[in-house]
Amino acid sequence: MISNIVSWISDFMYGYLLIILLLAGGIYFTVRTRFVQFRMIGQAFRAIMEKPAGGDDKVSSFQALMVSTASRVGTGNIIGVSTAICLGGFGSVFWMWIIAVIGAASAFIESTLAQIYKKRSPHGSYGGPAYYIEAALHSRPLALVFSICLVLTYGFGFNMLASYNLQSTFASYSFYDPDLTPWIIGLVLAVIVGYCLLGGGQRIVRVTSVMVPMMGLAYVLVSLVVIVMNITYLPAVISRIFREAFDFQSIMGGFSGSCVMYGIKRGLYSNEAGVGSAPNASASADVNHPAAQGLVQVLSVFIDTLLLCSATAFMCMCSGIEPTEALSGAPYVQEALQSTLGMFGPLFITVSMVLFAFTTLLGNLFYVDHVFNYMFGHTPGKCFMIVYRIIASLVIFAGAGLSADLLWDIADVTMGFMTIINMPVILLLGKYALKALQDYEEQLRRKDTPFFCAKEIGLPHDVDYWTSKPLR
């Protein structure tokens, strides 16, 4: 009964509500920013190389990018893409691209707003949607609702799903016992993550800064090898993607199971543009201008979907293995790689999933740590954090043995509630991010080193972090 209720809510959310909200919002921001996600992509690369404005002990743009990418880049890049192709068809890939391309503009707006409305503390800066909801809309109740949704999404829904997806990659091995192995893997993963959590946020930043680039690069290289080895399939694959993406008769005949639905669901789960998660990491970066960090988050969306999701999609679709509902999830990816690379293929996917799941879990719990600071108005006490981390580890353990369909639906619903709150808010507040972008571009045209002060461009005085910074 619970599974049916959660599934119905998920179908209702993604039937029209979220699709209209995400597409309309993304298109609006793309037009208003004059296609910032393409126009300023070069500046985005330059921004990630900048040193922290407050010194080397502060969080840099690159580190904030790695934390947000650690959460974005995860099991969804492998299992999510496979599920979308097996259940929605090749056309799902096209709709993943669309939600990433236009969603990148939404990611720019929300991350710039997080920088504008962030707060300072002795340990650095912090912020996120909860902070700009309260500061700009003066609605702490709505900010608390969003915070609760974030805890449910990243502390429970996503982490249970990541745990399940990880253990599911072991199903192809002879030692796998469906009644016992998932719980053993879940226990090992929970213990490792729990140990890392005891090191606090700075350890998470350091670990992800090293692991994310390494695992992402290795994954893309192997994907390219597989695609090149099956290059003769590529023209037919590309043709089929576009043919199925625009097969409107089939789409409207069963929208809840169409390529549009699965493409947007799994694309949003993977890149999180507009959800309101990445701004929590963006606010921690110590930069001279909010728009610079907004551009950095555009890169994070592109890395996640246009690079890593596409890598998974093409190496699966070019393998010659036909996707079916029975292969949905890890089996399709493993069979696709095994057909090309032999037994190395499934082993590589297992290793990739271990690294992807681990960094996803750390990135997710980094967000939850920050939102607890907002909910309590201060850093929670040591006893509370120990209890919370034990619960977080138990959730990871439990997720390994639950139903895949239920876990996907729970993750989709909790993420959907975050998006339903965050997207209308950034539509209301987007004008401030647009002013920041205009100021940033004007300074770049003058060949100045961009420096932001809210008073100079007439932003509200409750932007205390930037109004307290000295004028040049």
Side-chain angles (χ1 to χ4, degrees):
M1 183 181 69
I2 293 173
S3 181
N4 289 337
I5 291 171
V6 174
S7 178
W8 180 87
I9 295 172
S10 176
D11 288 345
F12 173 77
M13 278 184 169
Y14 291 88
Y16 295 101
L17 179 60
L18 279 174
I19 289 176
I20 292 171
L21 192 58
L22 288 166
L23 292 179
I27 292 170
Y28 172 76
F29 288 132
T30 297
V31 172
R32 288 298 310 275
T33 61
R34 295 178 293 119
F35 296 83
V36 67
Q37 63 267 52
F38 304 113
R39 199 166 47 82
M40 300 190 70
I41 194 71
Q43 183 60 32
F45 281 103
R46 286 188 285 273
I48 63 172
M49 304 309 296
E50 294 177 0
K51 292 184 177 181
D56 292 338
D57 61 328
K58 302 295 184 182
V59 177
S60 68
S61 287
F62 178 76
Q63 287 177 316
L65 171 68
M66 288 302 102
V67 171
S68 59
T69 305
S71 178
R72 284 189 171 116
V73 174
T75 58
N77 295 92
I78 300 177
I79 306 298
V81 173
S82 167
T83 302
I85 295 172
C86 289
L87 301 182
F90 280 32
S92 302
V93 177
F94 174 82
W95 293 104
M96 277 189 193
W97 292 337
I98 292 298
I99 205 66
V101 166
I102 67 170
S106 301
F108 169 82
I109 296 292
E110 64 181 356
S111 292
T112 301
L113 286 172
Q115 273 285 330
I116 290 173
Y117 286 96
K118 69 181 182 179
K119 308 292 183 183
R120 67 171 76 243
S121 77
H123 307 292
S125 58
Y126 59 92
Y131 294 90
Y132 58 67
I133 288 172
E134 181 174 356
L137 301 182
H138 308 291
S139 178
R140 180 165 171 80
L142 181 61
L144 286 172
V145 170
F146 178 86
S147 300
I148 292 169
C149 290
L150 188 147
V151 171
L152 293 175
T153 300
Y154 288 88
F156 293 87
F158 281 12
N159 281 1
M160 287 193 295
L161 182 58
S163 179
Y164 174 86
N165 285 338
L166 170 60
Q167 69 81 20
S168 71
T169 62
F170 290 87
S172 62
Y173 296 97
S174 58
F175 63 80
Y176 187 88
D177 179 351
D179 295 324
L180 183 61
T181 309
W183 299 110
I184 294 175
I185 295 172
L187 178 62
V188 172
L189 183 61
V191 169
I192 294 173
V193 171
Y195 171 76
C196 187
L197 286 175
L198 294 176
Q202 287 303 312
R203 178 178 291 179
I204 293 174
V205 170
R206 288 195 298 272
V207 170
T208 54
S209 294
V210 174
M211 293 184 67
V212 172
M214 291 175 56
M215 73 179 188
L217 181 61
Y219 189 74
V220 171
L221 289 175
V222 170
S223 301
L224 287 173
V225 169
V226 173
I227 294 167
V228 170
M229 291 176 70
N230 297 287
I231 196 71
T232 55
Y233 285 100
L234 192 58
V237 165
I238 294 174
S239 173
R240 186 172 169 184
I241 288 173
F242 286 95
R243 186 173 65 251
E244 291 187 9
F246 294 100
D247 183 2
F248 292 113
Q249 184 176 353
S250 174
I251 291 169
M252 299 313 294
F255 192 78
S256 64
S258 69
C259 62
V260 178
M261 170 80 88
Y262 277 106
I264 290 179
K265 264 188 177 182
R266 299 287 75 84
L268 181 63
Y269 171 76
S270 182
N271 66 55
E272 302 172 22
V275 172
S277 54
N280 294 279
S282 296
S284 66
D286 197 50
V287 295
N288 281 323
H289 203 288
Q293 192 58 31
L295 290 175
V296 168
Q297 289 307 312
V298 169
L299 283 181
S300 183
V301 173
F302 285 171
I303 289 169
D304 175 87
T305 305
L306 300 186
L307 184 60
L308 291 171
C309 284
S310 295
T312 299
F314 278 105
M315 72 177 175
C316 288
M317 294 185 296
C318 289
S319 68
I321 303 295
E322 187 65 20
T324 64
E325 187 172 348
L327 288 176
S328 175
Y332 179 43
V333 189
Q334 289 175 317
E335 283 205 21
L337 263 72
Q338 186 170 352
S339 69
T340 304
L341 302 177
M343 288 309 299
F344 172 76
L347 180 62
F348 175 74
I349 288 299
T350 302
V351 173
S352 298
M353 282 293 295
V354 169
L355 294 175
F356 278 155
F358 179 66
T359 54
T360 295
L361 292 167
L362 294 182
N364 289 349
L365 293 170
F366 179 84
Y367 291 155
V368 177
D369 279 0
H370 275 248
V371 88
F372 276 146
N373 293 344
Y374 171 79
M375 294 173 72
F376 289 97
H378 55 80
T379 302
K382 187 174 181 179
C383 289
F384 175 86
M385 293 306 294
I386 290 174
V387 170
Y388 147 65
R389 283 166 178 158
I390 291 172
I391 293 173
S393 298
L394 290 174
V395 164
I396 293 169
F397 170 68
L402 295 180
S403 160
D405 290 340
L406 175 61
L407 290 173
W408 274 116
D409 284 337
I410 289 172
D412 286 335
V413 167
T414 54
M415 174 179 64
F417 279 124
M418 284 180 63
T419 310
I420 288 170
I421 296 172
N422 186 60
M423 280 300 295
V425 169
I426 65 174
L427 283 166
L428 286 171
L429 302 180
K431 57 186 178 182
Y432 301 127
L434 294 171
K435 283 186 176 182
L437 174 61
Q438 183 181 7
D439 176 67
Y440 186 66
E441 290 189 81
E442 286 177 356
Q443 294 189 58
L444 289 175
R445 279 194 291 270
R446 295 196 303 263
K447 300 190 183 304
D448 291 339
T449 299
F451 182 92
F452 184 77
C453 182
K455 290 178 180 178
E456 291 184 340
I457 61 173
L459 291 190
H461 294 298
D462 50 13
V463 184
D464 57 88
Y465 180 90
W466 296 102
T467 52
S468 61
K469 297 194 80 167
L471 296 172
R472 282 175 296 179

Short mmCIF file of all heavy atoms in Angstrom, two decimals, residues 350-399:
data_model
loop_
_atom_site.label_atom_id
_atom_site.label_comp_id
_atom_site.label_asym_id
_atom_site.label_seq_id
_atom_site.Cartn_x
_atom_site.Cartn_y
_atom_site.Cartn_z
N THR A 350 31.44 -2.32 -11.17
CA THR A 350 31.34 -2.51 -9.72
C THR A 350 32.25 -1.53 -8.98
O THR A 350 31.83 -0.88 -8.01
CB THR A 350 31.72 -3.95 -9.34
OG1 THR A 350 30.85 -4.86 -10.02
CG2 THR A 350 31.58 -4.16 -7.84
N VAL A 351 33.50 -1.40 -9.44
CA VAL A 351 34.44 -0.46 -8.81
C VAL A 351 33.93 0.97 -8.95
O VAL A 351 33.96 1.76 -7.99
CB VAL A 351 35.84 -0.60 -9.42
CG1 VAL A 351 36.77 0.48 -8.88
CG2 VAL A 351 36.42 -1.98 -9.12
N SER A 352 33.45 1.32 -10.14
CA SER A 352 32.91 2.66 -10.37
C SER A 352 31.74 2.95 -9.44
O SER A 352 31.64 4.04 -8.87
CB SER A 352 32.46 2.82 -11.83
OG SER A 352 33.54 2.67 -12.71
N MET A 353 30.86 1.96 -9.28
CA MET A 353 29.70 2.15 -8.42
C MET A 353 30.10 2.33 -6.96
O MET A 353 29.48 3.11 -6.23
CB MET A 353 28.73 0.97 -8.56
CG MET A 353 27.89 1.00 -9.81
SD MET A 353 26.72 2.37 -9.82
CE MET A 353 25.68 1.91 -8.44
N VAL A 354 31.13 1.61 -6.53
CA VAL A 354 31.61 1.78 -5.16
C VAL A 354 32.07 3.21 -4.93
O VAL A 354 31.70 3.87 -3.95
CB VAL A 354 32.75 0.79 -4.85
CG1 VAL A 354 33.42 1.14 -3.53
CG2 VAL A 354 32.21 -0.65 -4.81
N LEU A 355 32.87 3.75 -5.88
CA LEU A 355 33.37 5.12 -5.74
C LEU A 355 32.25 6.14 -5.91
O LEU A 355 32.16 7.10 -5.15
CB LEU A 355 34.47 5.37 -6.76
CG LEU A 355 35.75 4.56 -6.57
CD1 LEU A 355 36.73 4.82 -7.71
CD2 LEU A 355 36.41 4.90 -5.24
N PHE A 356 31.39 5.95 -6.91
CA PHE A 356 30.28 6.88 -7.14
C PHE A 356 29.36 6.93 -5.93
O PHE A 356 28.95 8.00 -5.47
CB PHE A 356 29.48 6.46 -8.37
CG PHE A 356 30.07 6.90 -9.68
CD1 PHE A 356 29.79 6.22 -10.85
CD2 PHE A 356 30.90 8.01 -9.75
CE1 PHE A 356 30.31 6.64 -12.07
CE2 PHE A 356 31.44 8.43 -10.96
CZ PHE A 356 31.14 7.75 -12.12
N ALA A 357 29.00 5.75 -5.41
CA ALA A 357 28.07 5.70 -4.27
C ALA A 357 28.70 6.34 -3.04
O ALA A 357 28.03 7.09 -2.31
CB ALA A 357 27.69 4.25 -3.97
N PHE A 358 29.98 6.08 -2.81
CA PHE A 358 30.66 6.62 -1.64
C PHE A 358 30.67 8.14 -1.66
O PHE A 358 30.32 8.80 -0.68
CB PHE A 358 32.09 6.07 -1.58
CG PHE A 358 32.89 6.59 -0.42
CD1 PHE A 358 32.54 6.25 0.88
CD2 PHE A 358 33.99 7.40 -0.63
CE1 PHE A 358 33.27 6.74 1.96
CE2 PHE A 358 34.73 7.88 0.43
CZ PHE A 358 34.38 7.55 1.72
N THR A 359 31.08 8.73 -2.79
CA THR A 359 31.14 10.18 -2.85
C THR A 359 29.75 10.81 -2.85
O THR A 359 29.57 11.90 -2.33
CB THR A 359 31.92 10.65 -4.10
OG1 THR A 359 31.35 10.05 -5.26
CG2 THR A 359 33.37 10.26 -4.00
N THR A 360 28.77 10.11 -3.43
CA THR A 360 27.40 10.60 -3.38
C THR A 360 26.92 10.69 -1.93
O THR A 360 26.31 11.69 -1.52
CB THR A 360 26.45 9.67 -4.17
OG1 THR A 360 26.81 9.71 -5.55
CG2 THR A 360 25.00 10.12 -4.04
N LEU A 361 27.16 9.65 -1.17
CA LEU A 361 26.73 9.62 0.23
C LEU A 361 27.39 10.74 1.03
O LEU A 361 26.74 11.42 1.83
CB LEU A 361 27.06 8.27 0.85
CG LEU A 361 26.26 7.07 0.30
CD1 LEU A 361 26.89 5.76 0.75
CD2 LEU A 361 24.81 7.15 0.72
N LEU A 362 28.69 10.96 0.81
CA LEU A 362 29.39 12.02 1.54
C LEU A 362 28.86 13.39 1.15
O LEU A 362 28.64 14.25 2.00
CB LEU A 362 30.89 11.94 1.28
CG LEU A 362 31.62 10.69 1.81
CD1 LEU A 362 33.10 10.79 1.51
CD2 LEU A 362 31.39 10.52 3.30
N GLY A 363 28.67 13.61 -0.15
CA GLY A 363 28.14 14.90 -0.60
C GLY A 363 26.75 15.16 -0.07
O GLY A 363 26.42 16.27 0.35
N ASN A 364 25.91 14.12 -0.07
CA ASN A 364 24.54 14.27 0.43
C ASN A 364 24.53 14.66 1.91
O ASN A 364 23.78 15.56 2.33
CB ASN A 364 23.77 12.96 0.25
CG ASN A 364 23.44 12.65 -1.20
OD1 ASN A 364 23.62 13.50 -2.07
ND2 ASN A 364 22.99 11.45 -1.47
N LEU A 365 25.34 13.99 2.70
CA LEU A 365 25.33 14.24 4.14
C LEU A 365 26.00 15.57 4.48
O LEU A 365 25.73 16.16 5.53
CB LEU A 365 25.99 13.07 4.87
CG LEU A 365 25.17 11.77 4.76
CD1 LEU A 365 25.97 10.58 5.28
CD2 LEU A 365 23.85 11.88 5.50
N PHE A 366 26.87 16.06 3.60
CA PHE A 366 27.43 17.40 3.76
C PHE A 366 26.31 18.43 3.71
O PHE A 366 26.26 19.38 4.50
CB PHE A 366 28.46 17.66 2.66
CG PHE A 366 29.09 19.02 2.69
CD1 PHE A 366 30.17 19.28 3.52
CD2 PHE A 366 28.62 20.06 1.89
CE1 PHE A 366 30.77 20.53 3.55
CE2 PHE A 366 29.20 21.31 1.91
CZ PHE A 366 30.28 21.55 2.74
N TYR A 367 25.37 18.24 2.76
CA TYR A 367 24.22 19.15 2.66
C TYR A 367 23.37 19.10 3.93
O TYR A 367 22.90 20.12 4.43
CB TYR A 367 23.34 18.76 1.47
CG TYR A 367 23.95 19.01 0.11
CD1 TYR A 367 23.55 18.28 -0.99
CD2 TYR A 367 24.93 19.98 -0.08
CE1 TYR A 367 24.09 18.51 -2.25
CE2 TYR A 367 25.48 20.21 -1.32
CZ TYR A 367 25.06 19.48 -2.41
OH TYR A 367 25.60 19.71 -3.64
N VAL A 368 23.14 17.89 4.44
CA VAL A 368 22.29 17.74 5.63
C VAL A 368 22.93 18.42 6.84
O VAL A 368 22.25 19.09 7.62
CB VAL A 368 22.02 16.25 5.92
CG1 VAL A 368 21.20 16.10 7.20
CG2 VAL A 368 21.29 15.60 4.76
N ASP A 369 24.25 18.29 6.98
CA ASP A 369 24.96 18.98 8.07
C ASP A 369 24.69 20.48 8.02
O ASP A 369 24.42 21.11 9.05
CB ASP A 369 26.47 18.74 7.95
CG ASP A 369 26.88 17.39 8.52
OD1 ASP A 369 26.00 16.66 9.00
OD2 ASP A 369 28.09 17.08 8.49
N HIS A 370 24.77 21.06 6.84
CA HIS A 370 24.59 22.50 6.70
C HIS A 370 23.16 22.93 7.00
O HIS A 370 22.94 23.98 7.62
CB HIS A 370 25.00 22.95 5.29
CG HIS A 370 26.47 23.19 5.16
ND1 HIS A 370 27.01 24.44 4.96
CD2 HIS A 370 27.53 22.34 5.24
CE1 HIS A 370 28.32 24.35 4.91
NE2 HIS A 370 28.66 23.08 5.06
N VAL A 371 22.19 22.13 6.59
CA VAL A 371 20.80 22.54 6.80
C VAL A 371 20.42 22.39 8.28
O VAL A 371 19.57 23.13 8.78
CB VAL A 371 19.86 21.74 5.89
CG1 VAL A 371 19.40 20.42 6.50
CG2 VAL A 371 18.62 22.57 5.53
N PHE A 372 21.07 21.49 9.00
CA PHE A 372 20.84 21.41 10.45
C PHE A 372 21.28 22.70 11.13
O PHE A 372 20.63 23.16 12.08
CB PHE A 372 21.60 20.22 11.05
CG PHE A 372 20.88 18.91 10.96
CD1 PHE A 372 21.57 17.73 10.78
CD2 PHE A 372 19.50 18.86 11.05
CE1 PHE A 372 20.90 16.52 10.70
CE2 PHE A 372 18.81 17.65 10.96
CZ PHE A 372 19.53 16.47 10.78
N ASN A 373 22.37 23.28 10.65
CA ASN A 373 22.82 24.56 11.23
C ASN A 373 21.74 25.62 11.09
O ASN A 373 21.54 26.43 12.00
CB ASN A 373 24.10 25.03 10.53
CG ASN A 373 25.28 24.12 10.80
OD1 ASN A 373 25.25 23.31 11.72
ND2 ASN A 373 26.32 24.23 10.00
N TYR A 374 21.06 25.63 9.96
CA TYR A 374 19.98 26.61 9.76
C TYR A 374 18.79 26.30 10.67
O TYR A 374 18.25 27.19 11.32
CB TYR A 374 19.52 26.62 8.30
CG TYR A 374 18.28 27.47 8.13
CD1 TYR A 374 18.38 28.86 8.07
CD2 TYR A 374 17.01 26.90 8.10
CE1 TYR A 374 17.26 29.65 7.96
CE2 TYR A 374 15.88 27.68 7.99
CZ TYR A 374 16.01 29.06 7.91
OH TYR A 374 14.88 29.84 7.83
N MET A 375 18.37 25.06 10.70
CA MET A 375 17.17 24.69 11.46
C MET A 375 17.32 24.99 12.94
O MET A 375 16.36 25.43 13.59
CB MET A 375 16.86 23.20 11.23
CG MET A 375 16.47 22.86 9.80
SD MET A 375 16.31 21.09 9.49
CE MET A 375 14.78 20.73 10.37
N PHE A 376 18.52 24.78 13.49
CA PHE A 376 18.74 25.01 14.92
C PHE A 376 19.21 26.43 15.22
O PHE A 376 19.19 26.86 16.37
CB PHE A 376 19.75 24.01 15.47
CG PHE A 376 19.23 22.61 15.57
CD1 PHE A 376 19.49 21.69 14.57
CD2 PHE A 376 18.46 22.21 16.65
CE1 PHE A 376 19.00 20.39 14.65
CE2 PHE A 376 17.97 20.93 16.74
CZ PHE A 376 18.24 20.00 15.74
N GLY A 377 19.65 27.14 14.19
CA GLY A 377 20.15 28.49 14.41
C GLY A 377 21.59 28.51 14.90
O GLY A 377 22.15 29.57 15.18
N HIS A 378 22.20 27.34 15.01
CA HIS A 378 23.60 27.22 15.44
C HIS A 378 24.06 25.81 15.11
O HIS A 378 23.25 24.96 14.72
CB HIS A 378 23.73 27.47 16.96
CG HIS A 378 22.86 26.59 17.79
ND1 HIS A 378 23.18 25.28 18.09
CD2 HIS A 378 21.63 26.83 18.36
CE1 HIS A 378 22.22 24.75 18.83
NE2 HIS A 378 21.26 25.65 19.00
N THR A 379 25.34 25.57 15.27
CA THR A 379 25.85 24.22 15.03
C THR A 379 25.32 23.28 16.10
O THR A 379 25.47 23.56 17.30
CB THR A 379 27.39 24.21 15.07
OG1 THR A 379 27.88 25.12 14.07
CG2 THR A 379 27.93 22.82 14.80
N PRO A 380 24.63 22.20 15.72
CA PRO A 380 24.07 21.28 16.72
C PRO A 380 25.15 20.72 17.63
O PRO A 380 26.33 20.63 17.26
CB PRO A 380 23.44 20.17 15.87
CG PRO A 380 23.21 20.80 14.53
CD PRO A 380 24.32 21.78 14.35
N GLY A 381 24.74 20.35 18.85
CA GLY A 381 25.68 19.81 19.82
C GLY A 381 26.26 18.48 19.39
O GLY A 381 25.75 17.80 18.49
N LYS A 382 27.35 18.10 20.03
CA LYS A 382 28.07 16.88 19.67
C LYS A 382 27.20 15.64 19.82
O LYS A 382 27.23 14.75 18.96
CB LYS A 382 29.31 16.76 20.55
CG LYS A 382 30.24 15.62 20.15
CD LYS A 382 31.52 15.63 20.96
CE LYS A 382 32.43 14.50 20.53
NZ LYS A 382 33.71 14.50 21.31
N CYS A 383 26.42 15.58 20.89
CA CYS A 383 25.56 14.40 21.11
C CYS A 383 24.54 14.25 19.99
O CYS A 383 24.30 13.14 19.49
CB CYS A 383 24.86 14.50 22.46
SG CYS A 383 25.96 14.28 23.86
N PHE A 384 23.92 15.38 19.60
CA PHE A 384 22.92 15.33 18.52
C PHE A 384 23.55 14.82 17.23
O PHE A 384 22.99 13.97 16.54
CB PHE A 384 22.31 16.71 18.29
CG PHE A 384 21.36 16.76 17.11
CD1 PHE A 384 20.03 16.42 17.27
CD2 PHE A 384 21.82 17.11 15.85
CE1 PHE A 384 19.16 16.44 16.18
CE2 PHE A 384 20.96 17.14 14.76
CZ PHE A 384 19.62 16.81 14.93
N MET A 385 24.73 15.34 16.89
CA MET A 385 25.38 14.97 15.64
C MET A 385 25.81 13.50 15.64
O MET A 385 25.74 12.83 14.61
CB MET A 385 26.58 15.88 15.37
CG MET A 385 26.21 17.32 15.09
SD MET A 385 24.99 17.51 13.75
CE MET A 385 25.94 16.93 12.34
N ILE A 386 26.23 13.00 16.80
CA ILE A 386 26.60 11.58 16.87
C ILE A 386 25.38 10.70 16.63
O ILE A 386 25.43 9.73 15.86
CB ILE A 386 27.25 11.26 18.24
CG1 ILE A 386 28.63 11.91 18.32
CG2 ILE A 386 27.36 9.75 18.43
CD1 ILE A 386 29.30 11.77 19.68
N VAL A 387 24.25 11.07 17.28
CA VAL A 387 23.01 10.30 17.10
C VAL A 387 22.56 10.37 15.64
O VAL A 387 22.17 9.36 15.04
CB VAL A 387 21.90 10.83 18.04
CG1 VAL A 387 20.56 10.19 17.69
CG2 VAL A 387 22.26 10.57 19.49
N TYR A 388 22.60 11.58 15.06
CA TYR A 388 22.18 11.75 13.67
C TYR A 388 23.06 10.91 12.74
O TYR A 388 22.55 10.25 11.81
CB TYR A 388 22.26 13.23 13.28
CG TYR A 388 22.61 13.47 11.84
CD1 TYR A 388 21.76 13.07 10.81
CD2 TYR A 388 23.81 14.08 11.49
CE1 TYR A 388 22.10 13.27 9.48
CE2 TYR A 388 24.16 14.29 10.18
CZ TYR A 388 23.30 13.88 9.18
OH TYR A 388 23.63 14.07 7.88
N ARG A 389 24.36 10.90 12.97
CA ARG A 389 25.24 10.14 12.08
C ARG A 389 25.05 8.64 12.22
O ARG A 389 25.21 7.89 11.26
CB ARG A 389 26.70 10.56 12.34
CG ARG A 389 26.99 11.91 11.70
CD ARG A 389 28.24 12.56 12.14
NE ARG A 389 28.41 13.83 11.42
CZ ARG A 389 29.15 14.84 11.83
NH1 ARG A 389 29.80 14.73 12.98
NH2 ARG A 389 29.25 15.93 11.12
N ILE A 390 24.68 8.20 13.42
CA ILE A 390 24.35 6.79 13.59
C ILE A 390 23.09 6.46 12.80
O ILE A 390 23.01 5.44 12.09
CB ILE A 390 24.16 6.45 15.08
CG1 ILE A 390 25.51 6.53 15.82
CG2 ILE A 390 23.54 5.07 15.25
CD1 ILE A 390 25.40 6.39 17.32
N ILE A 391 22.07 7.35 12.89
CA ILE A 391 20.83 7.14 12.13
C ILE A 391 21.11 7.16 10.64
O ILE A 391 20.59 6.33 9.87
CB ILE A 391 19.78 8.22 12.50
CG1 ILE A 391 19.34 8.04 13.96
CG2 ILE A 391 18.58 8.15 11.56
CD1 ILE A 391 18.44 9.15 14.46
N ALA A 392 21.95 8.11 10.19
CA ALA A 392 22.29 8.20 8.76
C ALA A 392 22.96 6.92 8.28
O ALA A 392 22.68 6.44 7.17
CB ALA A 392 23.21 9.40 8.52
N SER A 393 23.81 6.35 9.11
CA SER A 393 24.48 5.10 8.74
C SER A 393 23.49 3.94 8.70
O SER A 393 23.56 3.08 7.82
CB SER A 393 25.61 4.80 9.73
OG SER A 393 26.59 5.81 9.71
N LEU A 394 22.54 3.92 9.66
CA LEU A 394 21.52 2.87 9.67
C LEU A 394 20.61 2.95 8.44
O LEU A 394 20.18 1.93 7.91
CB LEU A 394 20.67 2.96 10.95
CG LEU A 394 21.39 2.58 12.25
CD1 LEU A 394 20.48 2.86 13.45
CD2 LEU A 394 21.81 1.12 12.24
N VAL A 395 20.33 4.18 7.99
CA VAL A 395 19.52 4.37 6.78
C VAL A 395 20.23 3.78 5.57
O VAL A 395 19.61 3.13 4.72
CB VAL A 395 19.24 5.88 6.57
CG1 VAL A 395 18.74 6.15 5.16
CG2 VAL A 395 18.21 6.36 7.58
N ILE A 396 21.54 4.01 5.48
CA ILE A 396 22.33 3.44 4.38
C ILE A 396 22.28 1.92 4.44
O ILE A 396 22.12 1.25 3.41
CB ILE A 396 23.78 3.95 4.47
CG1 ILE A 396 23.83 5.45 4.19
CG2 ILE A 396 24.69 3.18 3.52
CD1 ILE A 396 25.17 6.10 4.52
N PHE A 397 22.38 1.37 5.64
CA PHE A 397 22.29 -0.08 5.82
C PHE A 397 20.93 -0.61 5.38
O PHE A 397 20.84 -1.59 4.63
CB PHE A 397 22.55 -0.42 7.29
CG PHE A 397 22.25 -1.85 7.65
CD1 PHE A 397 23.02 -2.88 7.15
CD2 PHE A 397 21.18 -2.15 8.49
CE1 PHE A 397 22.74 -4.21 7.48
CE2 PHE A 397 20.90 -3.46 8.83
CZ PHE A 397 21.68 -4.49 8.33
N ALA A 398 19.85 0.07 5.79
CA ALA A 398 18.50 -0.40 5.47
C ALA A 398 18.21 -0.32 3.97
O ALA A 398 17.56 -1.20 3.41
CB ALA A 398 17.47 0.43 6.24
N GLY A 399 18.71 0.73 3.31
CA GLY A 399 18.41 0.91 1.89
C GLY A 399 18.92 -0.22 1.03
O GLY A 399 18.32 -0.52 -0.02
#
